[in-house]
Every structure is written in structure tokens, then in C-alpha cells.
Amino acid sequence: MPTATSDDDRDPDLVAVNEGVDVAGELTRPGGLDRERILRGAVDFIDAHGLAALTMRRLGASLGVEAMALYRYVPGREDLLDGVVDMVVETLFVKDDGDDLYIEEHHGWQDYLMRLGHGIRRIALAHPSVFPLVASRPPAAPWVRPPLRSLRLVESFLGTLTEGGFSDQAAVAAYRAYSSFLLGHLLLEVTQLGAQVSLLDQPEGDPEAQRKTDLSVFPNLLRTEQLLSLDKSAAEFEDALENLLDRLERVLHEAQTSDGEVADLA
Amino acid sequence: MPTATSDDDRDPDLVAVNEGVDVAGELTRPGGLDRERILRGAVDFIDAHGLAALTMRRLGASLGVEAMALYRYVPGREDLLDGVVDMVVETLFVKDDGDDLYIEEHHGWQDYLMRLGHGIRRIALAHPSVFPLVASRPPAAPWVRPPLRSLRLVESFLGTLTEGGFSDQAAVAAYRAYSSFLLGHLLLEVTQLGAQVSLLDQPEGDPEAQRKTDLSVFPNLLRTEQLLSLDKSAAEFEDALENLLDRLERVLHEAQTSDGEVADLA
DNA sequence: ACCTGAACACCGTTCAAGT
DNA sequence: ACCTGAACACCGTTCAAGT
């Protein structure tokens, strides 16, 4: 146990979360609180224990401090959750070593939309318990559409499509269509991830028999149960993304040749 | 005030919610609690005060009862929320007078998917504060995909498409594509509804100036701000639904003629 | 049979007090 | 300057007691 304080009467389960080694490879508590350290701690906590378990008091404990100390750096719980969302989304703009999804090194708008989609998906799968927060927190502005929750991101989206030949209307319509595609797919994907583990958590007295009997009233469900249980999320994501790109391309070319009204593509 | 109890020292704001006349046109408290009455009260409460405001104690008060009384009919808060979701979704199957969206009187699978989409959208817009719950509550089974959260609904979905000529694989793939389309669109639509009202709620010292200055760093945002603020949700929903139906139709016909593998449409 | 009062453990948040 | 102890109002939930 590195540099442990002498009066260590804290919950060992919570302390363990944070006195290990974090993602960046540094010790998590080399003295001194910090807004960023708190947000990072909150992300780690949610990843480890789920969103419902996050309280100010427990977060404080996991950082080796009383809950009250957090209020010096964070106005309150709501603001903290907003900060968590921001922090996780900003990950898009940091370039990992050998990152072939780095969003700012794109070649054309199609490549940009591919990188963006895969980038957000990577975030969702890396933090499945945080993603529902990204999906449903009330946005700062009415036109900030989850999961694309960053002015910088929306700006680069619109800029890239405009450079690619989209009119302002078409770029905005594309932004809308793209964000709802991403939100639907990724939220369902992380929801299903959560459902898988919660099933393993409750091994109660033969739940199989009970569930099967219920299904007997639903012949189509019963017949396709195997198919329904297959997880094809990755392939479906690729297909839907590709389909969306095709659709956008079609709109773009129609606009360039016939100059018809194209705002209503979404 | 009809049939008021004599010792009326309750919060008048909460009482007002429930001693009025409810959707069905009946007095809300003609004696006696009931699981269904509680769930209905919870829906009304969330519609009126938002999800965050719903506590067992306040819900009890709105029903003219102490919180503890609820536990005779509802195992706990989590189960209550599940019940709320079920109740709201079941609305699909009740036929209102002159209801042209009634899902069981469909003509062919395209008509069915239109009725279903518009029906769920009507629910989302009628209960925008409840819909995030419909979207993100952990499903009962891994293959229950929000917002289509009802065995009965999934059964009728698969049955209708199968009757329409879809193979089991194609029907399941259609179910997946359709649910993620619905979830993305409707969750974004109700989120934006929430964002609109929350902006009106906080008329602080000239927030305009501050926000505009932030935007000046984002030229594309600044230029398209008007376009971004337009609400075209209804038209976008129709377009996306139509596009999805076209896609499914294409898959169906390809399968009927060439007999190629079609499972990966989603 | 149905509801309530009192109680328990836990929340978010404030603030004077400690170091 | 930074953290804590004590306190407040509020939670979900249990259970013996009332009617």
C-alpha cells in the first residue's frame, strides 16, 4: 500500500478503487484535490459501481476525503454529472498512440463521419454505465443533440460537411440524422450490455422454467428466441452507418446536379 | 373542493394535482388505494413535476396518503418505475374513440410499422418526462429493445412481419433496425422539448450576450444558428420512417427473388 | 384489512470550526 | 488555503402500533 496515511479507517473496498494505478499510469492520490481529479474519480467510480451507486459521500471516500471537501471544486452533484459527461466526450479529441480513429486527421466528410461514429462508439463501450448520462442529460443549448455534446464537436461536424460541398441546410439535416442514428444504436448497445450482466447477477431458484412458460403464449417470440439473443451490434452499426452515408451522398449529389430543395433529408 | 377531508393540513400544491379530475374523467380519490391508481398517480406526477421530483413521500402526498401506505401495493421505488413504464407503453393497445393509429387494425406490415411508430411517438410527446424512463430502464429480457418494451408488442411485431413474407432472420433484423430508429428519434425529440422549457425557466441577468460571445469562436455554429434552432422533428420523423420502410421493402424483395443472405440489413 | 408514527440508515448541502 | 464535524432537511424502507 503506497504512502498510506496513518489513520486508515476507511472502507477498504472504496479505497481500493482509487489507490491503485489509473489509466494514465499515475498514482491516483499524490496529494491535493482538483476538479479534474474529482471528475476522473467519478468516471472511474461509475465504471466500477454503476451510476446509481455514485453519491457525493461515496465519491469523496473513494478519493480519500470527506464529501464536503468536493464542494470546494464542484458546485453540486448535478454540475458534477455534467462535468463527467464533458470529460468523457472530450476524449474524442485526445490522440492515443497509433490512433486510427483520431477525428482531426480525416480525409473527406465520409471518412470524418466514420471516424466520429467509431470514436463515439468506442467511448460508449469503454464507459457503458456513463453513456446513459451522455444520452439523456439535458443539453446546454436546444440544438446540442446527444451524444454529440460538445460545441467543438458540432462545429467540426458542420465545418467538415460544409467543406465537403453540403449547403448549410443539408449539413444541419445531416447533423440531425447522424445524431439520432448514433444515439439510438449506441444507447441500445450499452443497454443490452447492462442487461447481460444483470442477468448473471441474480441466479435465483430456477428462473428458466418460469420465463419459458411465459413465452409459450408468444409463438413468434418463442420461435425466434435464439435469433433474438444473438448479439450483432457491431455489424448492425456498420451497416446502419454505411446506409446513412449512402443516403447523405445521394442527397449531396442531387443537390449539386438538380439544385432542388434538400433540407428535408433527415 | 369536492369531498375534502376535515384535517386538511397537506401541501396544497400536491393535493391540487390529484383532487382534480383525471384523464378518464373520474374523481381521483373516491376512496381506497390500488396498484393501478398508484401507477396512474405516478404518471400524472411525473408529467406535472418531472422525474426528478418523484419521491415515494411526495407521490403518497399527491394521493392523499402517507408514503408508507404505498408499500402495501408496490414492492419499492424501482418496481414502481417499471410499472410506470409498463402502464404508459400499454396505452398502445387501448383503442381511443376514432383512433386511426390503433395498432391491431393494420393492413399489411408497412401500415403496421407506420401505426406503431406514430403510436409510440404520440406516447412520447404526451409524456415527455416519462419517456427517458421508457428509453433507459434496464429491460426485462436482453432482447427487449426500448422503446418497444412489451412482450406482447414484440410478438405482434414479429408476427406481422412474418405474415408479410419476412424470414425469421429478416424480421429480427427489422425489429432491431426499427427499435433503434425509434429510440434515437424520440429520445432526441423529448430531450429537445425539455431543453426548451428549461431555458424559459432561468431568466438570469442577460444570458444572451454571454452565450453569443462563446459562439464567436465557432463560425459554422454561428452561421447556422438559425437553422439549428428550427424544430423539424415531425418532418424528420416521417422521412426517416419512410426511408426505413423503403430499406426493409428492398431487403424483402431481394430475398424473395434472389434468395441471398439477408440477415445483416440492420 | 388498511393506514400511520416512529425509527433507521443514508442522501445533498451549508457553515462554522479546525489545521 | 484546504479540509472536517456537526447539523439540516429530505430520502427509501421497515415494522410495531393504531383504527
Side-chain angles (χ1 to χ4, degrees), chain A residues 215-228, chain B residues 143 151 154-163 168 171-172:
Chain A
L215 274 192
S216 67
V217 202
F218 303 114
N220 290 287
L221 274 180
L222 192 61
R223 177 168 37 84
T224 57
E225 198 188 357
Q226 314 273 1
L227 290 170
L228 284 168
Chain B
W143 39 264
L151 292 186
V154 179
E155 170 68 15
S156 86
F157 188 109
L158 295 173
T160 304
L161 265 68
T162 304
E163 280 175 36
D168 283 358
V172 167

Side-chain angles (χ1 to χ4, degrees), chain B residues 48-155:
Chain B
H49 304 102
L51 190 54
L54 180 76
T55 70
M56 297 299 278
R57 293 172 129 106
R58 289 206 270 241
L59 175 58
S62 83
L63 293 165
V65 99
E66 299 297 317
M68 308 80 193
L70 302 176
Y71 287 88
R72 194 162 291 271
Y73 307 93
V74 169
R77 186 173 193 271
E78 292 298 291
D79 176 272
L80 185 147
L81 295 180
D82 284 335
V84 163
V85 168
D86 286 348
M87 156 153 294
V88 160
V89 170
E90 287 303 318
T91 315
L92 256 188
F93 294 104
V94 311
K95 175 173 180 167
D96 296 356
D97 30 31
D99 189 350
D100 57 342
L101 292 184
Y102 185 53
I103 198 176
E104 308 213 305
E105 289 175 355
H106 60 90
H107 310 293
W109 62 269
Q110 291 99 330
D111 184 47
Y112 174 88
L113 292 186
M114 295 278 278
R115 286 168 190 257
L116 177 55
H118 290 125
I120 302 266
R121 181 162 184 263
R122 175 163 66 183
I123 292 175
L125 296 183
H127 306 283
S129 299
V130 177
F131 193 77
L133 222 49
V134 179
S136 59
R137 211 105 249 281
W143 39 264
V144 171
R145 295 170 63 96
L148 269 29
R149 307 183 140 274
S150 142
L151 292 186
R152 191 176 160 197
L153 189 52
V154 179
E155 170 68 15

Side-chain angles (χ1 to χ4, degrees), chain A residues 69 111 194 197:
Chain A
D111 184 48
V197 302

Side-chain angles (χ1 to χ4, degrees), chain B residues 224-263:
Chain B
T224 57
E225 198 188 355
Q226 314 273 2
L227 289 171
L228 284 168
S229 301
L230 283 180
D231 180 17
K232 300 207 174 188
S233 304
E236 285 164 8
F237 182 81
E238 303 301 333
D239 286 358
L241 178 51
E242 209 168 307
N243 177 273
L244 182 58
L245 290 185
D246 285 351
R247 223 169 121 203
L248 294 182
E249 209 145 4
R250 226 176 299 137
V251 169
L252 177 60
H253 288 140
E254 283 168 10
Q256 287 175 341
T257 57
S258 74
D259 200 64
E261 37 85 69
V262 287

